[in-house]
Amino acid sequence: RVRALTNHIAQLLSLSSEDKKVADRAAEICKFDLVTQMVYEFPELQGFMGEKYALQKGEDAVVAQAINEHYMPRNAHDSTAKSVPGAILSIAEKLDTIVSCFAIGIIPSGSQDPYALRRQATGIVQTLLNMNWEISFEELINQAIHLTENAGINKQENEKIKEELIAFFRLRIKYILQ
């Protein structure tokens, strides 16, 4: 799903074929570092080790950079991804996580946000603002919902999921703009 979302965003942005290829390859291998004992022992090295492993295995440097950047921003004080492929992958991965959680009924409420969905949503909005991309947010949400539906994840009606997501992201946008 992340790879499909990455390719969809790349298409919306009318990227060059080279940038599309880099984003697609990074999306294909971006989670390989999670199976290593290094990341298991030191979760804060997610992305950093992915970049190192990718370079060690002969991947292009821009692919490796995108793998690292897709975790950005990692916290409230972190910057967003700088490269176009890294920013696209960051948005796609975070959006897939948020939409998948909403699709199965895991929605942050009050102080409860065990999967840091608010932080991830804020990261998406910050990345879009920093990259100055004019992308229809509703279209991104629709595509992500379509992908979760095809995967058989959705436990609610698509329209209900969409309404909840739009309300959720509106709050994040309001927060950032304030």
Side-chain angles (χ1 to χ4, degrees), residues 61-135:
V62 290
V63 171
Q65 179 184 358
I67 291 169
N68 183 2
E69 288 181 335
H70 94 278
Y71 287 102
M72 298 171 88
R74 290 176 173 88
N75 57 56
H77 307 291
D78 197 12
S79 62
T80 58
K82 301 292 183 245
S83 73
V84 170
I88 291 171
L89 183 54
S90 176
I91 291 167
E93 192 269 336
K94 288 170 178 57
L95 186 61
D96 178 67
T97 299
I98 294 165
V99 172
S100 297
C101 285
F102 273 63
I104 61 172
I106 298 175
I107 301 169
S109 61
S111 63
Q112 299 296 317
D113 189 7
Y115 299 102
L117 300 182
R118 289 184 187 112
R119 180 183 53 78
Q120 291 187 50
T122 300
I124 291 170
V125 174
Q126 287 174 326
T127 301
L128 288 170
L129 286 172
N130 290 346
M131 296 304 283
N132 200 27
W133 288 336
E134 294 182 22
I135 299 175

Coordinates of all heavy atoms in Angstrom, one line a residue, residues 61-135:
A61 N 22.5 6.4 -3.7 CA 22.5 7.3 -2.5 C 21.2 8.0 -2.3 O 20.8 8.2 -1.2 CB 23.7 8.3 -2.7
V62 N 20.5 8.4 -3.4 CA 19.2 9.1 -3.2 C 18.2 8.2 -2.7 O 17.3 8.6 -2.0 CB 18.8 9.9 -4.5 CG1 19.7 11.0 -4.8 CG2 18.7 8.9 -5.7
V63 N 18.2 6.9 -3.1 CA 17.3 5.9 -2.6 C 17.6 5.7 -1.1 O 16.6 5.7 -0.3 CB 17.4 4.5 -3.3 CG1 16.6 3.4 -2.6 CG2 17.0 4.7 -4.8
A64 N 18.8 5.6 -0.7 CA 19.2 5.4 0.7 C 18.8 6.7 1.5 O 18.2 6.5 2.6 CB 20.7 5.2 0.8
Q65 N 18.9 7.8 1.0 CA 18.5 9.0 1.7 C 17.0 9.1 1.9 O 16.5 9.4 3.0 CB 18.9 10.3 0.9 CG 18.5 11.6 1.5 CD 18.9 12.8 0.7 OE1 19.5 12.7 -0.4 NE2 18.5 14.0 1.2
A66 N 16.3 8.7 0.9 CA 14.8 8.6 1.0 C 14.4 7.6 2.1 O 13.4 7.9 2.8 CB 14.2 8.3 -0.3
I67 N 15.1 6.5 2.2 CA 14.8 5.5 3.2 C 14.9 6.2 4.6 O 14.1 6.0 5.5 CB 15.6 4.3 3.1 CG1 15.3 3.5 1.8 CG2 15.5 3.4 4.3 CD1 16.2 2.4 1.4
N68 N 16.0 6.9 4.8 CA 16.2 7.6 6.1 C 15.1 8.6 6.3 O 14.5 8.7 7.4 CB 17.6 8.2 6.1 CG 17.9 8.8 7.5 OD1 17.1 8.8 8.4 ND2 19.1 9.4 7.5
E69 N 14.9 9.4 5.3 CA 14.0 10.6 5.4 C 12.5 10.2 5.6 O 11.7 11.0 6.1 CB 14.1 11.5 4.2 CG 15.4 12.3 4.2 CD 15.5 13.2 3.0 OE1 14.8 12.9 1.9 OE2 16.2 14.2 3.0
H70 N 12.1 9.0 5.2 CA 10.7 8.7 5.3 C 10.2 8.6 6.8 O 9.0 8.7 7.0 CB 10.4 7.4 4.5 CG 10.4 6.1 5.3 ND1 11.5 5.4 5.6 CD2 9.4 5.4 5.8 CE1 11.2 4.3 6.2 NE2 9.9 4.3 6.4
Y71 N 11.1 8.5 7.7 CA 10.7 8.6 9.1 C 10.6 10.0 9.6 O 10.1 10.2 10.7 CB 11.7 7.8 10.0 CG 11.7 6.3 9.9 CD1 12.6 5.7 9.1 CD2 10.7 5.6 10.5 CE1 12.6 4.3 9.0 CE2 10.6 4.2 10.4 CZ 11.6 3.6 9.6 OH 11.6 2.2 9.5
M72 N 11.0 11.0 8.9 CA 11.0 12.4 9.3 C 9.6 13.0 9.1 O 8.9 12.7 8.2 CB 12.0 13.2 8.5 CG 13.4 12.7 8.7 SD 14.6 13.4 7.5 CE 15.0 14.9 8.5
P73 N 9.2 13.9 10.0 CA 9.9 14.3 11.2 C 9.6 13.2 12.3 O 8.5 12.7 12.4 CB 9.2 15.6 11.6 CG 7.9 15.6 11.0 CD 8.0 14.8 9.7
R74 N 10.7 12.9 13.0 CA 10.6 11.8 14.0 C 10.0 12.3 15.3 O 9.5 11.5 16.1 CB 12.0 11.3 14.2 CG 12.6 10.5 13.1 CD 14.0 10.0 13.4 NE 14.5 9.1 12.3 CZ 15.1 9.6 11.2 NH1 15.3 10.8 11.0 NH2 15.5 8.7 10.3
N75 N 10.1 13.6 15.5 CA 9.5 14.1 16.7 C 9.1 15.6 16.5 O 9.4 16.1 15.4 CB 10.5 14.0 17.9 CG 11.8 14.7 17.7 OD1 11.9 15.8 17.3 ND2 12.9 13.9 17.8
A76 N 8.6 16.3 17.5 CA 8.1 17.7 17.3 C 9.3 18.6 16.9 O 9.0 19.7 16.3 CB 7.4 18.1 18.5
H77 N 10.5 18.3 17.2 CA 11.6 19.2 17.0 C 12.4 18.8 15.8 O 13.4 19.5 15.5 CB 12.5 19.3 18.2 CG 11.8 19.6 19.5 ND1 11.2 20.8 19.7 CD2 11.4 18.8 20.5 CE1 10.6 20.8 20.9 NE2 10.7 19.6 21.4
D78 N 12.0 17.8 15.1 CA 12.8 17.3 13.9 C 12.3 18.0 12.7 O 11.2 18.5 12.6 CB 12.5 15.8 13.7 CG 13.5 15.1 12.8 OD1 14.6 15.7 12.5 OD2 13.3 13.9 12.5
S79 N 13.2 18.1 11.7 CA 12.8 18.7 10.4 C 12.1 17.7 9.5 O 12.1 16.5 9.8 CB 14.1 19.2 9.7 OG 15.0 18.2 9.4
T80 N 11.5 18.2 8.4 CA 10.9 17.3 7.5 C 11.9 16.8 6.4 O 13.0 17.3 6.4 CB 9.7 18.0 6.8 OG1 10.2 19.2 6.1 CG2 8.6 18.4 7.7
A81 N 11.5 15.8 5.6 CA 12.4 15.3 4.6 C 12.8 16.5 3.6 O 12.0 17.3 3.3 CB 11.7 14.2 3.8
K82 N 14.0 16.4 3.1 CA 14.5 17.5 2.2 C 14.4 17.0 0.8 O 14.2 17.8 -0.1 CB 16.0 17.8 2.5 CG 16.3 18.3 3.9 CD 15.7 19.6 4.2 CE 16.0 20.2 5.5 NZ 14.8 20.3 6.4
S83 N 14.6 15.8 0.5 CA 14.6 15.3 -0.9 C 13.1 15.0 -1.3 O 12.3 14.7 -0.5 CB 15.4 14.0 -1.1 OG 14.7 12.9 -0.5
V84 N 12.9 15.2 -2.6 CA 11.5 14.9 -3.1 C 11.1 13.5 -2.9 O 10.0 13.2 -2.3 CB 11.4 15.3 -4.6 CG1 10.1 14.9 -5.2 CG2 11.5 16.8 -4.7
P85 N 11.9 12.5 -3.2 CA 11.5 11.1 -3.0 C 11.3 10.8 -1.5 O 10.4 10.1 -1.1 CB 12.7 10.2 -3.5 CG 13.3 11.1 -4.5 CD 13.2 12.5 -4.0
G86 N 12.2 11.3 -0.6 CA 12.0 11.1 0.8 C 10.7 11.7 1.3 O 10.1 11.1 2.2
A87 N 10.4 12.9 0.9 CA 9.2 13.6 1.3 C 7.9 12.8 0.8 O 7.0 12.6 1.6 CB 9.1 15.0 0.8
I88 N 7.9 12.3 -0.4 CA 6.8 11.6 -0.9 C 6.6 10.3 -0.1 O 5.5 9.9 0.3 CB 7.0 11.2 -2.4 CG1 6.9 12.5 -3.3 CG2 6.0 10.2 -2.9 CD1 7.3 12.3 -4.7
L89 N 7.7 9.6 0.1 CA 7.7 8.3 0.9 C 7.2 8.6 2.3 O 6.5 7.8 2.9 CB 9.0 7.6 0.8 CG 9.1 6.3 1.5 CD1 8.0 5.3 1.0 CD2 10.5 5.7 1.3
S90 N 7.7 9.7 2.9 CA 7.3 10.0 4.3 C 5.8 10.2 4.3 O 5.1 9.7 5.2 CB 8.0 11.3 4.7 OG 7.6 11.7 6.0
I91 N 5.2 11.0 3.4 CA 3.8 11.2 3.4 C 3.0 9.9 3.2 O 2.1 9.6 3.9 CB 3.4 12.2 2.3 CG1 4.0 13.6 2.6 CG2 1.9 12.3 2.0 CD1 4.0 14.6 1.5
A92 N 3.5 9.1 2.2 CA 2.8 7.9 1.9 C 2.8 6.9 3.1 O 1.7 6.3 3.4 CB 3.4 7.2 0.7
E93 N 3.9 6.8 3.7 CA 4.0 5.8 4.8 C 3.1 6.3 6.0 O 2.4 5.5 6.6 CB 5.5 5.7 5.3 CG 5.7 4.5 6.2 CD 5.6 5.0 7.7 OE1 5.8 6.2 8.0 OE2 5.4 4.1 8.5
K94 N 3.2 7.5 6.3 CA 2.4 8.1 7.5 C 0.9 8.0 7.2 O 0.1 7.7 8.0 CB 2.8 9.5 7.8 CG 4.2 9.6 8.5 CD 4.7 11.0 8.6 CE 6.0 11.1 9.3 NZ 7.1 10.3 8.7
L95 N 0.5 8.4 5.9 CA -0.9 8.4 5.5 C -1.4 6.9 5.6 O -2.5 6.7 6.1 CB -1.1 9.0 4.2 CG -2.5 9.2 3.7 CD1 -3.3 10.1 4.7 CD2 -2.5 9.7 2.3
D96 N -0.7 6.0 5.1 CA -1.1 4.6 5.2 C -1.3 4.1 6.6 O -2.3 3.5 6.9 CB -0.1 3.7 4.5 CG -0.5 2.2 4.6 OD1 -1.5 1.9 3.9 OD2 0.1 1.4 5.3
T97 N -0.4 4.5 7.5 CA -0.6 4.1 8.9 C -1.9 4.7 9.5 O -2.6 4.0 10.1 CB 0.6 4.6 9.7 OG1 1.8 3.9 9.2 CG2 0.5 4.2 11.2
I98 N -2.1 6.0 9.3 CA -3.2 6.7 9.8 C -4.5 6.1 9.2 O -5.4 5.8 10.0 CB -3.1 8.2 9.5 CG1 -2.0 8.8 10.3 CG2 -4.4 8.9 9.9 CD1 -1.6 10.2 9.9
V99 N -4.6 6.0 7.9 CA -5.8 5.5 7.3 C -6.1 4.1 7.7 O -7.3 3.7 8.0 CB -5.8 5.6 5.8 CG1 -6.9 5.0 5.1 CG2 -5.7 7.1 5.4
S100 N -5.1 3.2 7.8 CA -5.3 1.8 8.2 C -5.8 1.8 9.7 O -6.7 1.0 9.9 CB -3.9 1.1 8.2 OG -3.5 1.0 6.8
C101 N -5.3 2.6 10.5 CA -5.8 2.6 11.9 C -7.2 3.1 12.0 O -8.1 2.5 12.6 CB -4.9 3.5 12.8 SG -3.3 2.8 13.2
F102 N -7.6 4.1 11.2 CA -9.0 4.6 11.2 C -9.9 3.6 10.6 O -11.0 3.4 11.0 CB -9.1 5.9 10.4 CG -8.8 7.2 11.2 CD1 -7.6 7.4 11.8 CD2 -9.8 8.1 11.4 CE1 -7.3 8.5 12.6 CE2 -9.6 9.3 12.1 CZ -8.3 9.5 12.7
A103 N -9.4 2.9 9.6 CA -10.2 1.8 8.9 C -10.6 0.7 9.9 O -11.6 0.1 9.7 CB -9.5 1.3 7.7
I104 N -9.8 0.4 10.9 CA -10.1 -0.7 11.8 C -10.6 -0.1 13.1 O -10.8 -0.9 14.1 CB -8.9 -1.6 12.0 CG1 -7.7 -0.9 12.7 CG2 -8.5 -2.3 10.8 CD1 -6.6 -1.8 13.1
G105 N -10.8 1.2 13.2 CA -11.5 1.8 14.3 C -10.5 2.3 15.4 O -11.0 2.6 16.5
I106 N -9.2 2.4 15.1 CA -8.3 2.9 16.1 C -8.2 4.4 15.8 O -7.5 4.8 14.8 CB -6.9 2.3 16.0 CG1 -7.0 0.8 16.3 CG2 -5.9 2.9 16.9 CD1 -5.7 0.0 16.1
I107 N -8.9 5.2 16.6 CA -8.9 6.7 16.4 C -8.5 7.3 17.7 O -9.1 7.0 18.7 CB -10.3 7.1 15.9 CG1 -10.7 6.4 14.6 CG2 -10.4 8.6 15.8 CD1 -12.2 6.5 14.3
P108 N -7.5 8.2 17.6 CA -7.1 8.9 18.9 C -8.3 9.7 19.5 O -9.1 10.3 18.8 CB -6.1 9.9 18.4 CG -5.6 9.4 17.1 CD -6.8 8.7 16.5
S109 N -8.4 9.6 20.8 CA -9.4 10.3 21.5 C -8.8 10.8 22.8 O -8.1 10.1 23.5 CB -10.6 9.4 21.8 OG -10.2 8.3 22.6
G110 N -9.2 12.1 23.2 CA -8.6 12.7 24.4 C -7.1 12.6 24.4 O -6.5 13.0 23.4
S111 N -6.6 12.0 25.4 CA -5.1 11.9 25.5 C -4.6 10.6 25.0 O -3.4 10.3 25.0 CB -4.7 12.1 27.0 OG -5.2 11.0 27.8
Q112 N -5.5 9.7 24.5 CA -5.2 8.4 24.0 C -4.7 8.5 22.6 O -5.5 8.9 21.7 CB -6.4 7.5 24.1 CG -6.8 7.2 25.6 CD -5.8 6.6 26.4 OE1 -5.1 5.6 26.0 NE2 -5.6 7.0 27.6
D113 N -3.5 8.2 22.3 CA -3.0 8.1 20.9 C -1.8 7.2 20.9 O -0.6 7.6 20.7 CB -2.5 9.5 20.5 CG -2.2 9.6 19.0 OD1 -2.4 8.6 18.3 OD2 -1.7 10.7 18.6
P114 N -2.0 5.9 21.2 CA -0.9 4.9 21.4 C 0.0 4.7 20.1 O 1.1 4.3 20.3 CB -1.7 3.6 21.7 CG -3.0 3.8 21.2 CD -3.3 5.3 21.3
Y115 N -0.5 5.1 18.9 CA 0.3 4.9 17.7 C 0.8 6.2 17.2 O 1.3 6.3 16.1 CB -0.5 4.1 16.7 CG -0.9 2.8 17.2 CD1 -2.2 2.5 17.6 CD2 0.0 1.7 17.2 CE1 -2.6 1.3 18.1 CE2 -0.3 0.5 17.7 CZ -1.6 0.3 18.1 OH -2.0 -1.0 18.6
A116 N 0.7 7.3 18.0 CA 1.2 8.6 17.6 C 0.7 9.1 16.3 O 1.4 9.7 15.5 CB 2.7 8.6 17.6
L117 N -0.6 8.8 16.1 CA -1.2 9.2 14.8 C -1.3 10.8 14.7 O -1.2 11.3 13.6 CB -2.6 8.6 14.7 CG -2.7 7.1 14.7 CD1 -4.1 6.6 14.5 CD2 -1.8 6.5 13.7
R118 N -1.5 11.5 15.8 CA -1.5 12.9 15.7 C -0.1 13.5 15.2 O -0.1 14.4 14.4 CB -1.9 13.5 17.1 CG -3.3 13.3 17.4 CD -3.6 14.0 18.8 NE -4.9 13.7 19.2 CZ -5.2 12.9 20.3 NH1 -4.3 12.5 21.0 NH2 -6.5 12.7 20.6
R119 N 0.9 12.9 15.8 CA 2.3 13.3 15.4 C 2.5 13.0 13.9 O 3.1 13.8 13.2 CB 3.3 12.7 16.3 CG 4.8 13.1 15.9 CD 5.8 12.3 16.7 NE 5.7 10.9 16.7 CZ 6.1 10.1 15.7 NH1 6.6 10.6 14.6 NH2 5.9 8.8 15.8
Q120 N 2.1 11.9 13.5 CA 2.3 11.5 12.1 C 1.5 12.4 11.1 O 2.0 12.8 10.1 CB 1.9 10.0 11.9 CG 2.9 9.1 12.5 CD 2.6 7.6 12.2 OE1 2.5 7.3 11.0 NE2 2.5 6.8 13.2
A121 N 0.2 12.7 11.5 CA -0.6 13.6 10.7 C 0.1 15.0 10.7 O 0.1 15.6 9.6 CB -2.0 13.7 11.3
T122 N 0.6 15.5 11.8 CA 1.3 16.8 11.8 C 2.5 16.7 10.9 O 2.8 17.7 10.2 CB 1.7 17.1 13.2 OG1 0.5 17.2 14.0 CG2 2.4 18.5 13.3
G123 N 3.2 15.6 10.9 CA 4.3 15.4 10.0 C 3.9 15.5 8.5 O 4.7 16.1 7.7
I124 N 2.8 14.9 8.2 CA 2.3 15.0 6.8 C 2.0 16.4 6.4 O 2.5 16.9 5.3 CB 1.0 14.1 6.6 CG1 1.4 12.7 6.7 CG2 0.4 14.4 5.2 CD1 0.1 11.8 6.8
V125 N 1.3 17.1 7.2 CA 1.0 18.5 6.9 C 2.2 19.4 6.8 O 2.4 20.2 5.9 CB 0.0 19.1 8.0 CG1 -0.3 20.6 7.8 CG2 -1.3 18.3 8.0
Q126 N 3.2 19.2 7.8 CA 4.4 20.0 7.7 C 5.2 19.7 6.5 O 5.8 20.6 5.9 CB 5.3 19.7 9.0 CG 4.7 20.2 10.2 CD 5.5 19.8 11.4 OE1 6.0 18.6 11.5 NE2 5.7 20.6 12.4
T127 N 5.3 18.5 6.1 CA 6.0 18.1 4.9 C 5.4 18.7 3.6 O 6.0 19.3 2.8 CB 6.1 16.6 4.7 OG1 6.7 16.0 5.9 CG2 6.8 16.2 3.5
L128 N 4.0 18.7 3.5 CA 3.3 19.3 2.4 C 3.6 20.8 2.4 O 3.8 21.4 1.3 CB 1.8 19.0 2.5 CG 1.4 17.6 2.1 CD1 0.0 17.3 2.5 CD2 1.7 17.2 0.7
L129 N 3.5 21.4 3.5 CA 3.8 22.9 3.6 C 5.2 23.2 3.2 O 5.5 24.1 2.4 CB 3.5 23.4 5.0 CG 2.0 23.5 5.4 CD1 1.9 23.9 6.9 CD2 1.3 24.5 4.5
N130 N 6.2 22.5 3.8 CA 7.6 22.7 3.5 C 8.0 22.5 2.0 O 8.8 23.2 1.5 CB 8.5 21.9 4.4 CG 8.4 22.4 5.8 OD1 7.9 23.5 6.1 ND2 8.9 21.6 6.8
M131 N 7.3 21.5 1.4 CA 7.6 21.2 0.0 C 6.8 22.1 -0.9 O 7.1 22.1 -2.1 CB 7.4 19.7 -0.3 CG 8.2 18.7 0.5 SD 10.0 19.0 0.2 CE 10.3 18.3 -1.4
N132 N 5.9 22.8 -0.4 CA 5.0 23.7 -1.1 C 4.3 23.0 -2.3 O 4.2 23.5 -3.4 CB 5.8 24.9 -1.7 CG 5.0 26.1 -2.0 OD1 3.9 26.3 -1.5 ND2 5.4 26.9 -3.0
W133 N 3.8 21.8 -1.9 CA 3.0 21.0 -2.9 C 1.6 21.3 -2.9 O 1.0 21.3 -1.8 CB 3.3 19.5 -2.7 CG 4.6 19.1 -3.1 CD1 5.5 19.7 -4.0 CD2 5.3 17.9 -2.6 NE1 6.7 18.9 -4.1 CE2 6.6 17.9 -3.2 CE3 5.0 16.9 -1.7 CZ2 7.5 16.8 -3.0 CZ3 5.9 15.9 -1.4 CH2 7.1 15.9 -2.1
E134 N 1.0 21.5 -4.0 CA -0.5 21.7 -4.0 C -1.1 20.4 -4.5 O -1.3 20.2 -5.7 CB -0.8 22.9 -5.0 CG -0.3 24.2 -4.5 CD -0.7 25.4 -5.4 OE1 -1.6 25.2 -6.2 OE2 0.0 26.4 -5.3
I135 N -1.4 19.6 -3.5 CA -2.0 18.3 -3.8 C -3.3 18.3 -3.1 O -3.5 18.7 -2.0 CB -1.1 17.1 -3.2 CG1 0.3 17.1 -3.9 CG2 -1.8 15.8 -3.4 CD1 1.2 16.1 -3.3

